Amino acid sequence: MTDKTLPRGTSGAPPARFDGDKALALVCVGVPLIGLVLFFLYPMAIVFLRSITTVDGEYGLSNYAEVLGSSGFWRATRHSMIMGGATTLLSVVLGFIIAHGLYRCAFRGKRLIRAVIVLPLLAPSLVQALGLIFLLGRNGVVNQLFGVEMEIYGFWGLLIANTLYALPQAVMIIGAALVLLDARTYEAAEVMGASPMRQFRDLTLPAARFGILNAAFVVFIITITDFGNAAVIGGDYSVLATEIYSQVIGQRNFNMGAVVGIMLLLPTVAAYYIERRAMRLQGRHPVNAQRFVPRFTPARDLPMAGLNLLICLAVLSVIAIVFYASFVRLWPYNMSLTLKHYDITLAGGYSSLWITIWISLAAAAGGTFLVFLLAVGLRRAPAMLAQPLQVLAAMPAAVPGMVLGLAYILTFNSTATPLYLLYGTAALIGIVNFYHYHTQAFLTVMTGFRQLPSALEEAAGSLGAGLGRVAVNIIAPFVAPMLISVFFFLFMRSMVTLSAVVFLTTPDLSVAAVTIMRLDDAGLTSQAAAFSCCVMAVVAAALLGMKAILAYLGRNAGTGSDG
Amino acid sequence: MYLTVEHATKTFGPFVALDDVSIAIEKGEFVCLLGPSGCGKTTLLRIIAGLAETDSGVVTIEGETLSNQPARKRGFGIVFQSYSLFPNMTVAENIGYGLRIRGAANDQIAARVRELLELVKLPQLADKFPSQLSGGQQQRIALARAIAVDPRVLLLDEPLSALDAKVRADLRSEIRQLQRTLGIPTLMVTHDQEEALALADKIICMNHGTVVQAGTPEDLYHRPETRFVADFMGTSNLIETDVIRRVQPDLLQTRPDAPDADYIACIRPEHIELTPDADGTATVREISFLGNLKRIELDSPLGPLLVETHGAGGFSPGDKLALGIAPEHCVWVRDDVIGAAA
Ligand SMILES: Nc1ncnc2c1ncn2[C@@H]1O[C@H](COP(=O)(O)OP(=O)(O)OP(=O)(O)O)[C@@H](O)[C@H]1O
Ligand SMILES: [Mg+2]
């Protein structure tokens, strides 16, 4: 602390403050890091160890040998891959049609399309399956009206349900790629003489290339890891997710479940890795780009509007029928309307809904706080710490919810460590929800931080504000919209997720999505529909609340970013 | 008249972006559309290109009306300020795109691309992608792409304004040279009067969606018709009629017969002669040295004045000077700037 340190600056900051900064940065990074190790890395290690633990408690590969030798496993794997591929193809094609309609065509009602397209995100995935059964099942509307009976349980039903469920993601990802192309690029092509068809082929398609690739991998992951639809409408069409469930819940064979889990992890990790690579290849939005405003072209816009309408009707009808069915006295024999199904007769009634709301609020608040801490800390942490941490923080997205849930039950249902205390508590469900969606939350905050001009932060720093002050006064207001988004994202996902929590609920502690599944299992389909509607109402309210808050912040920010 | 716009009007809701605008471009002419931000330059250019429609008015080329022709049928070339190269095509593919659309043979396209890359002095970049180029290089390629198909008219919307000063100056003279050799009628939008003066055969000066004055650069600089043009085209001393009448009535000779408030005197800084004179009426307030010339701020009976002189004359602040203004150098301009009396 002599002359050598003088060139640092003339601010004359006392050395003590400098250390305080360091300590704060360490805390910022340390707390989320401990969380990630304890609630992500450790359980994942356990699941791996259990997969190689033989019946007599030794380590060995006999579980793998058994699983790989069973025809049931290969059938489920084949089904998962075929289902993943088919859903991907269908969702990406339909998603492209919607995104192209929204961003590259001129017709009215786009707000409506946007609203309808997000509907599947408001409900547990199995609601798609439920709706399809009411629509196309043996007692479904179509059969009742037209006498067309089809076998909805199995491949086709699952394909449609999965496609509807993955569609919003496909639309968002492809749409984001489409808007990257500047309006002036199209205008230049237009003036050069390119016909609309050529512009589509030479400009739009190449621009959407990485978006399409990205969407394909995301949809593939969503599909092969989803449990709800497969459980409700899959019928005999077993897939890996249902296979894990039957190993663990049906046969109480945890180690075999772990093996299947690891096998499901492989394609997911591969797809996730490729998706991240593809992401990087896609360009960033130029700063003062001009938005493309399509002009009405009947030959293009009328067919596109028709297709968009059809797809939206399909999405809407599946959700709407669930809503309608929840009021029908005795589907399909007595179609008079009643509220009686909202009186849930299953043990516990609505208690699981209230618990789920509390869990979701806690997961959202705690999770937002933790990813914010992590993002703040990462800005100050040395590169050799920051880089591996970023990789770690991005890893949970590659882990299927079923596998994470299984890892949790293996880890926390063992009396070996004090972590056992968490078993069977609502807290653990909140925790699994947060780590299940950790990556998306983290990446959202990081994106928000990237928009923070570092000049602003430096200016505050040179005014003598320490890291703590900088975080509260400068960073927080700037990324507040991001944090709001993360909070509501975590809340809404926690409200509807099924795969990660299905193993962690107990007879005394259930969550909404599991209750819906149990109601459906018990043959109380109308009550399942009613309960689904309640969940959708809560999530829809949250979504509207988020929009309102963001709009309010946006108005007050004035010159702020236009996220 | 090669290309004309007649009585074009364009509104966006209640906002009038173009108000009865008529312009003309001769064959081979380089025309600059000059005006402050938001005056409707881009709107006019887009209407000519066919990228936007007029509410009323027509665009004609060689006497033929273009109103019902979509942009892609017009055979024009266009260069925007930035971000208009096709990001997923190489430089060569970008330049050859227009020819490819027209179904030209591959070797023919390749030859033309080579020729154009030579012309814009970037032959080594053929296989690069736009994102790998600097701003100046991108604009050169965009220019090459626009002229590749021998357009009937070349439209440039502030092609230089996103570049830094040195690159801008280089590219400016190259555009001029290129246009001269190829003889393509060119309309360039700019809000930089220096650029317009340096490049244009004709300048069309716009304000608030109307054409204020059109003419050669000399016309607009030496014979501005309105206060807006005098102000916009370089610096000038603007002096009210009653001050002139009191201080130097001989300058009133050239004044049109109209009420005092309608016209105002415009005297360019280089047209005021200074002679050291202990009994002079003007006092030097400040001098700035601008390399080849000096800019001198004076206090005088005419009010504060700005004078530019070359080399000689070692004045210093506080010196008394006599002013010499020849009547032919006093231009009377219509006072079209509302509520801004000097
Ligand atoms: N699509 C549009 N909708 C509404 N207003 C518009 C639209 N396009 C242009 N305007 C308005 O018309 C006016 C003229 O716009 P224009 O782009 O022609 O200006 P400009 O002279 O090119 O300005 P600049 O030098 O800033 O590019 C502006 O006030 C602008 O806000
Ligand atoms: Mg403009």
Side-chain angles (χ1 to χ4, degrees), chain A residues 187 190 192 202 288 295, chain B residues 46 50 53 72 83 97 102:
Chain A
E187 292 181 342
E190 172 83 18
M192 286 171 84
D202 296 339
N288 44 14
R295 286 204 275 170
Chain B
R46 291 169 58 83
E53 283 125 29
R72 63 175 180 281
Y83 303 123
Y97 189 66
R102 286 160 178 74

Side-chain angles (χ1 to χ4, degrees), chain B residues 177-254:
Chain B
Q177 216 180 329
L178 214 63
Q179 195 271 341
R180 281 270 152 77
T181 28
L182 301 175
I184 307 173
T186 300
L187 181 66
M188 176 163 124
V189 162
T190 177
H191 57 235
D192 179 345
Q193 51 98 8
E194 239 179 87
E195 204 166 281
L197 288 173
L199 282 173
D201 297 316
K202 183 162 92 195
I203 295 177
I204 297 169
C205 190
M206 291 182 64
N207 194 22
H208 294 312
T210 58
V211 172
V212 188
Q213 189 177 353
T216 63
E218 289 77 21
D219 274 342
L220 266 78
Y221 187 79
H222 292 299
R223 287 172 291 283
E225 285 168 6
T226 72
R227 175 172 181 169
F228 171 78
V229 177
D231 239 359
F232 202 74
M233 308 293 300
T235 46
S236 54
N237 296 293
L238 295 167
I239 304 157
E240 307 239 336
T241 307
D242 56 342
V243 178
I244 297 277
R245 187 178 293 121
R246 203 169 61 236
V247 181
Q248 200 174 342
D250 61 325
L251 298 182
L252 290 171
Q253 297 166 20
T254 53

Side-chain angles (χ1 to χ4, degrees), chain A residues 388-410:
Chain A
L389 248 173
Q390 290 210 8
V391 174
L392 178 61
M395 277 197 321
V399 176
M402 293 295 283
V403 177
L404 193 63
L406 179 60
Y408 268 50
I409 192 168
L410 295 177

